[in-house]
């Protein structure tokens, strides 16, 4: 703690004192006499200043979050006798989005730990993507067995964030991505298609009004992100049977206006994802069309205070990103949603994140976009811990307070001050996917750690992709680095246990994937005996990975959702058992052949000698082609 701290805002002083223990480690603050002082808005001036002369320090701040960023700066430079620095925000609202709806629901305590670190970084917005994981009164099957938040929990999270000057924004769905609700028979009347609500229906509007009320009553923010993305096939289901064939743009805009009206009645403003508006309006029928000119009569049908969200997680071309933002700005107020690339993986792919988010955030600042956030999506199982996103959060924060470009490699001391963790630990965890043979020309970075883990040991759909790349050596080295990191980090390295265990699994599994079927076809019995022994050791390592992954899951969030991963691990262990048993019988001569190993292997994710061909791979397309 500080030797003394003086300020008029007792609530803020209380929040300073509740900062977690890592912030106070090494006693750096004990000799400092700190004064905190709010300052009025000044468009041309700094949003925060930190001045230190010996043991006397003063932090001036415009908003509460600026104070906490100032504290992070003070800690970073605590060894300096004198400090005189000021910073200005170039992106007024900057934050992250956590996907709490794709299998994993982080606990309120876990989110509070994120918020502590976000405050020190200077992030002022946390978006919770919640399809059905929030309590809605009178709807017991809404979010049924999904581990969602009660209204009390959401209010508590909002209260905690508000102390730092961070606002919680609800991101819900009011049209598409509603399959988890529409699967239940009591919601059949709301269904246009298996995933899309029935537009133009009074019953649908009443349901949406209840959703807006549920989140609006829990959170201070009056902004709600209402989704409406990826509504492909809109109006082609029950809607068409009831209303006949209509252009999807008309249906979409009518629904947008109805949602806007419902929100306004509850004192809410809306933001919506723009992909379908562009897809319907573009002559190319594609989202990424920076030359799309929306007809003026269409523009007038978009509510003037509804913000468009340009989401783009993979584009690296600065001119495309700049053009897309300009095109959005020509239609209305714009928000940028960018990548923290965790989708369908066990790690955050940082090199790809820097290459995409970097030029996009530069374009955001160039065009004066008022809000930007990085997205931790968890499609296909939520295997990646949100904790692994911390360096990406720092990157977004540094862009918001820096007029020019940000060098990720220069953030390490800043990151340590804000988290108590070393950025290098996270870079080593990213080696799960950042293999040395990535096809950088492919739009989507490959996710080999996912398909290598889950693919069948006998049917090996990606065997040909892996062969000859030496990934076993890559994963051995990655495991060695993470082992050293974990020894250095101690308990603070809890988030490294799963990546380390996975690297140790992939060291063996990548070697088997690249050789087992070839050893069989060449009848190399000595090598096959070694493969059988490797399968035995692999089973031991997968059991360790499952145990550590389960411990991490239960410690950080709801137990619901783990069942899906338990089934994946259970299936993998069963297939490893079958593979080893059949291989040993073949070697003993009690089994005449293993037909799965006779089948020729074909590449799926290979481009020449590199990995990365098309979009990232998902579980059900990686495991087996068998169809039940």
């Amino acid at each position: 703690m500080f030797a003394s701290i003086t300020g008029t805002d007792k609530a803020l002083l209380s929040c300073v004192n509740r900062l977690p223990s890592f912030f106070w480690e090494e006693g750096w603050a004990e000799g400092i006499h700190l004064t905190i002082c709010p300052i009025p808005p000044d468009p041309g001036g700094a949003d925060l200043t930190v001045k230190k002369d010996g043991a006397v320090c003063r932090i001036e701040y415009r908003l509460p979050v600026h104070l906490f960023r100032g504290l992070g700066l003070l800690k970073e430079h605590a060894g300096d006798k004198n400090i005189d620095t000021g910073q200005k925000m170039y992106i007024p609202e900057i934050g992250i989005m956590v996907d709490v709806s794709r299998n994993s629901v982080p606990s309120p305590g876990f989110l509070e730990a994120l918020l502590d670190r976000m405050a020190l970084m200077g992030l002022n917005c946390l978006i919770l993507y919640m399809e059905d994981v929030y309590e809605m009164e009178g709807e017991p099957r809404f979010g049924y067995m999904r581990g969602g938040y009660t209204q009390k929990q959401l209010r508590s999270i909002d209260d905690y964030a508000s102390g730092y000057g961070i606002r919680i924004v609800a991101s819900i769905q009011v049209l598409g991505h509603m399959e988890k609700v529409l699967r239940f028979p009591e919601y059949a009347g709301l269904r246009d298609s298996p995933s899309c609500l029935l537009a133009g229906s009074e019953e649908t509007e009443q349901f949406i009004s209840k959703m807006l009320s549920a989140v609006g009553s829990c959170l201070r923010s009056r902004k709600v992100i209402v989704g409406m993305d990826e509504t492909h096939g809109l109006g082609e289901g029950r809607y068409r049977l009831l209303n006949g064939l209509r252009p999807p743009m008309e249906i979409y805009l009518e629904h947008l206006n109805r949602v806007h009206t419902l929100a306004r009645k509850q004192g809410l403003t809306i933001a919506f994802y723009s992909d379908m508006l562009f897809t319907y309006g573009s002559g190319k029928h594609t989202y990424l069309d920076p030359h799309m000119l929306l007809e003026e009569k269409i523009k007038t049908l978009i509510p003037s205070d509804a913000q468009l969200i340009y989401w783009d997680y993979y584009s690296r071309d600065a001119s495309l990103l700049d053009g897309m933002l300009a095109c959005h700005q020509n239609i209305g107020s714009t928000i940028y949603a960018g990548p923290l690339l965790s989708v369908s993986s066990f790690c955050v792919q940082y090199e790809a994140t820097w290459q995409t988010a970097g030029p996009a955030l530069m374009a955001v600042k160039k065009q004066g976009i008022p809000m930007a956030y990085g997205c931790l999506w968890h499609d296909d199982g939520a295997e990646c811990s949100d904790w692994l996103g911390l360096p990406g959060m720092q990157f977004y924060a540094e862009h918001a307070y820096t007029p020019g470009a940000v060098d990720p490699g220069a953030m390490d001391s800043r990151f340590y001050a804000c988290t108590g963790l070393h950025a290098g630990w996270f870079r080593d965890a990213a080696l799960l996917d950042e293999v040395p043979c990535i096809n950088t020309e492919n739009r989507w970075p490959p996710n080999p750690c996912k398909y290598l883990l889950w693919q069948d040991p006998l049917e090996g759909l990606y065997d040909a992709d892996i062969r000859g790349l030496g990934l076993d050596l890559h994963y051995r080295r990655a495991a060695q680095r993470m082992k050293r990191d974990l020894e250095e980090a101690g308990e603070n390295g809890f988030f490294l246990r799963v990546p380390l265990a996975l690297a140790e699994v992939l060291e063996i599994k990548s070697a088997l994937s690249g050789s087992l079927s070839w050893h069989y076809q060449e009848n190399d019995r000595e090598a096959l005996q070694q493969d059988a022994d490797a399968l035995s050791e692999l089973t031991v390592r997968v059991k360790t990975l499952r145990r550590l992954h389960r411990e991490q899951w239960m410690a950080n969030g709801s137990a619901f959702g783990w069942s899906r991963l338990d089934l994946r691990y259970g299936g993998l262990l069963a297939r490893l058992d079958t593979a080893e048993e059949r291989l040993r019988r073949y070697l003993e001569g009690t089994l005449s052949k293993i037909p799965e190993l006779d089948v020729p292997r074909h590449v799926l994710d290979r481009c020449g000698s590199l990995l990365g061909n098309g979009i990232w791979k998902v579980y059900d397309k990686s495991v087996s082609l068998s169809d039940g």
Side-chain angles (χ1 to χ4, degrees):
M1 297 295 179
F2 291 105
S4 68
I5 179 169
T6 306
T8 57
D9 192 325
K10 292 183 179 180
L12 270 183
L13 292 175
S14 174
C15 290
V16 171
N17 289 326
R18 82 176 183 199
L19 285 168
S21 59
F22 82 83
F23 181 72
W24 308 103
E25 286 177 355
E26 301 170 9
W28 65 272
E30 292 174 0
I32 295 177
H33 297 273
L34 175 66
T35 300
I36 62 173
C37 180
I39 54 176
D42 179 1
D47 291 316
L48 68 100
T49 60
V50 180
K51 296 183 179 181
K52 178 173 175 277
D53 184 2
V56 178
C57 181
R58 178 182 179 89
I59 298 179
E60 297 181 343
Y61 60 93
R62 187 169 65 81
L63 296 174
V65 76
H66 299 147
L67 165 63
F68 291 97
R69 180 167 172 92
L71 289 170
L73 290 168
L74 177 59
K75 181 186 178 184
E76 182 184 7
H77 299 285
D80 299 349
K81 182 178 180 180
N82 299 305
I83 304 172
D84 188 353
T85 186
Q87 291 190 341
K88 180 179 176 61
M89 284 193 87
Y90 297 91
I91 306 174
E93 193 158 12
I94 188 75
I96 63 157
M97 185 215 77
V98 175
D99 182 352
V100 302
S101 195
R102 305 292 179 83
N103 205 47
S104 167
V105 182
S107 68
F110 181 85
L111 291 179
E112 288 176 1
L114 277 186
L115 287 163
D116 293 334
R117 289 148 181 85
M118 289 175 61
L120 293 168
M121 293 175 185
L123 296 168
N124 58 10
C125 180
L126 173 61
I127 297 158
L128 298 179
Y129 177 74
M130 307 181 289
E131 291 174 355
D132 65 333
V133 291
Y134 53 95
E135 182 183 12
M136 195 154 69
E137 292 180 3
E139 302 290 344
R141 291 262 251 180
F142 185 84
Y144 180 64
M145 286 205 180
R146 296 261 285 139
Y149 300 112
T150 65
Q151 293 193 1
K152 182 179 179 180
Q153 285 175 321
L154 283 178
R155 291 190 182 101
S156 174
I157 295 166
D158 193 58
D159 288 343
Y160 194 88
S162 179
Y164 290 134
I166 299 173
R167 72 168 174 164
I168 305 293
V169 176
S171 179
I172 64 174
Q173 290 288 355
V174 298
L175 191 55
H177 289 295
M178 289 295 285
E179 57 274 8
K180 296 177 186 70
V181 175
L182 296 176
R183 58 186 165 184
F184 295 117
E186 50 264 62
Y187 295 121
L190 300 174
R191 190 183 301 138
D192 175 16
S193 66
S195 63
C196 200
L197 293 173
L198 180 65
S201 158
E202 183 176 342
E203 183 182 358
T204 297
E205 290 184 23
Q206 291 173 353
F207 190 71
I208 292 171
S209 183
K210 288 184 71 173
M211 289 194 290
L212 292 168
S213 175
V215 296
S217 65
C218 296
L219 305 176
R220 291 170 173 79
S221 174
R222 297 295 83 197
K223 185 199 299 287
V224 177
I225 296 172
V226 296
M228 296 186 60
D229 56 307
E230 299 179 326
T231 56
H232 305 289
L234 177 63
E236 291 294 325
R238 282 184 64 235
Y239 185 95
R240 185 169 179 175
L241 294 174
L242 295 171
N243 302 285
L245 180 63
R246 293 188 64 206
M249 177 72 96
E250 291 182 10
I251 303 171
Y252 186 89
L253 290 173
E254 284 179 4
H255 189 72
L256 176 65
N257 277 276
R258 288 190 173 105
V259 171
H260 175 261
T261 299
L262 294 170
R264 190 167 56 182
K265 286 179 180 178
Q266 300 188 34
L268 301 170
T269 61
I270 65 170
F272 66 101
Y273 291 112
S274 63
D275 54 310
M276 299 314 298
L277 186 68
F278 271 64
T279 301
Y280 297 144
S282 167
K284 298 178 180 178
H285 305 291
T286 184
Y287 184 20
L288 297 178
D289 180 3
H291 305 294
M292 193 273 287
L293 294 174
L294 206 60
E295 296 178 29
E296 288 300 323
K297 65 179 181 180
I298 299 292
K299 286 186 190 179
T300 62
L301 297 175
I302 301 170
S304 59
D305 61 346
Q307 291 183 287
L308 287 78
I309 303 174
Y310 166 44
W311 61 270
D312 193 340
Y313 314 127
Y314 303 105
S315 295
R316 303 169 219 164
D317 184 335
S319 62
L320 170 66
L321 291 160
D322 196 54
M324 285 297 295
L325 284 169
C327 196
H328 279 74
Q329 289 276 76
N330 189 44
I331 298 170
S333 178
T334 300
I335 297 169
Y336 168 70
L340 286 172
L341 288 174
S342 59
V343 64
S344 198
S345 182
F346 280 75
C347 65
V348 175
Q349 300 182 16
Y350 275 115
E351 285 305 313
T353 295
W354 310 145
Q355 291 166 12
T356 51
L361 291 169
M362 289 295 290
V364 164
K365 290 183 281 192
K366 173 185 173 183
Q367 298 198 28
I369 304 295
M371 180 177 177
Y373 59 91
C375 300
L376 279 163
W377 287 111
H378 289 319
D379 304 50
D380 197 36
E383 293 144 333
C384 178
S385 168
D386 290 310
W387 207 250
L388 289 173
L390 283 170
M393 301 178 199
Q394 190 81 61
F395 185 69
Y396 277 77
E398 297 316 300
H399 258 287
Y401 292 87
T402 304
V406 171
D407 177 5
M411 297 191 310
D412 288 11
S413 65
R414 181 94 191 93
F415 182 71
Y416 182 77
C418 295
T419 65
L421 305 169
H422 291 291
W425 301 342
F426 295 80
R427 290 193 289 267
D428 288 343
L431 293 172
L432 291 171
D433 274 339
E434 291 176 0
V435 295
C437 46
I438 289 178
N439 174 20
T440 57
E441 297 301 313
N442 192 53
R443 175 170 172 78
W444 300 272
N447 57 332
C449 78
K450 172 104 171 189
Y451 58 72
L452 266 177
L453 173 64
W454 298 127
Q455 78 158 353
D456 190 88
L458 291 178
E459 297 177 7
L461 297 178
Y462 292 91
D463 285 355
D465 295 288
I466 301 309
R467 184 165 172 78
L469 295 181
L471 291 188
D472 55 332
L473 178 59
H474 168 79
Y475 286 117
R476 185 182 312 134
R477 289 171 174 167
Q480 290 168 349
R481 291 174 68 160
M482 282 187 269
K483 193 172 292 185
R484 289 195 297 268
D485 293 340
L486 191 52
E487 289 172 358
E488 181 184 4
E491 288 302 310
N492 289 333
F494 69 91
F495 62 94
L496 291 170
R497 293 173 188 149
V498 171
L500 169 57
L502 178 54
E504 291 176 334
V505 164
L506 296 180
E507 177 191 352
I508 296 179
K509 200 154 191 281
S510 61
L512 282 169
S513 296
S515 63
L516 179 57
S517 66
W518 285 270
H519 290 162
Y520 175 81
Q521 291 166 25
E522 293 165 359
N523 196 28
D524 186 340
R525 301 183 75 83
E526 183 179 348
L528 286 173
Q529 182 62 57
Q530 293 174 355
D531 291 339
D533 294 340
L535 283 167
S536 180
E537 173 61 21
L538 180 57
T539 297
V540 173
R541 294 190 185 190
V542 170
K543 287 180 178 178
T544 299
L545 170 61
R546 172 180 171 265
R547 174 178 57 80
L548 291 171
H549 200 172
R550 181 176 60 194
E551 289 174 2
Q552 175 182 278
W553 187 284
M554 299 302 174
N556 294 339
S558 168
F560 288 98
W562 178 253
S563 56
R564 171 174 288 193
L565 295 187
D566 241 355
L567 290 168
R568 291 183 182 182
Y569 280 115
L572 175 58
L573 287 166
R575 290 299 293 160
L576 288 172
D577 178 67
T578 295
E580 183 184 354
E581 187 268 345
R582 294 182 69 213
L583 183 55
R584 292 196 186 280
R585 284 183 57 205
Y586 174 77
L587 290 167
E588 293 165 359
T590 58
L591 184 66
S592 62
K593 61 180 179 179
I594 306 175
E596 302 99 312
L597 297 180
D598 259 331
V599 177
R601 271 31 180 182
H602 302 288
V603 296
L604 291 170
D605 197 34
R606 191 82 168 251
C607 186
S609 60
L610 303 174
L611 282 183
N613 184 14
I615 197 168
W616 33 262
K617 310 304 185 274
V618 296
Y619 175 81
D620 65 355
K621 290 182 172 59
S622 301
V623 180
S624 172
L625 295 180
S626 297
D627 187 4

